[in-house]
Amino acid sequence: MATIAYLRVSTSKQDVDRQEVQLRQYAEKQGFSVDEWVRVTASTRKSTADRGLDALLDQLQAGDRLLVAELSRLGRSLSQVVRIVEELISRGVGLHSLKEGMRLNGEMDMTAKV
């Protein structure tokens, strides 16, 4: 089981440092470490391929865990985020989103449906 952190900012004038600190502290508090850090500079207006999400989704396997600082890092609209979360669940991948306090275990349980 791998834990992968996905950090994204929209422009080169921003950096992912704050997200990384938050995710490191969260992982430490939860008692696990991050195996891989995916750092991306791309607007959500870009395609999921340009934002590195397609490659990331291809890499993730059942039992893996994806960490994000907030769901908006995954997509621009609610429908886009929902599609990505559904994809993660269908692959059996857990998702932890710090800002929303969301911890999905990779199964379509009541929390995921909400």
Side-chain angles (χ1 to χ4, degrees):
M1 176 172 91
T3 298
I4 300 175
Y6 178 78
L7 304 90
R8 186 189 60 76
V9 291
S10 298
T11 70
S12 60
K13 294 179 181 178
Q14 301 169 316
D15 63 54
V16 295
D17 294 346
R18 185 175 60 89
Q19 291 176 51
E20 184 172 343
V21 167
Q22 290 174 331
L23 294 173
R24 280 187 192 281
Q25 289 173 344
Y26 175 80
E28 183 178 313
K29 188 181 280 188
Q30 296 298 315
F32 59 81
S33 61
V34 175
D35 300 302
E36 183 177 342
W37 297 87
V38 177
R39 296 170 178 87
V40 177
T41 300
S43 168
T44 52
R45 293 182 187 136
K46 300 286 185 181
S47 70
T48 53
D50 290 341
R51 295 192 323 260
L53 282 170
D54 290 351
L56 177 61
L57 289 173
D58 287 344
Q59 174 185 347
L60 291 166
Q61 299 177 10
D64 287 349
R65 176 178 19 213
L66 178 63
L67 301 180
V68 293
E70 58 186 86
L71 288 175
S72 67
R73 302 301 84 203
L74 295 175
R76 183 170 189 82
S77 67
L78 178 59
S79 63
Q80 191 174 55
V81 170
V82 167
R83 280 193 304 274
I84 292 168
V85 170
E86 287 175 341
E87 174 74 16
L88 294 169
I89 291 169
S90 74
R91 291 172 175 257
V93 174
L95 172 65
H96 292 226
S97 177
L98 275 58
K99 182 176 181 179
E100 293 80 11
M102 179 186 297
R103 291 175 55 176
L104 301 179
N105 63 6
E107 297 177 9
M108 186 52 81
D109 59 6
M110 186 53 72
T111 304
K113 289 177 185 176
V114 171

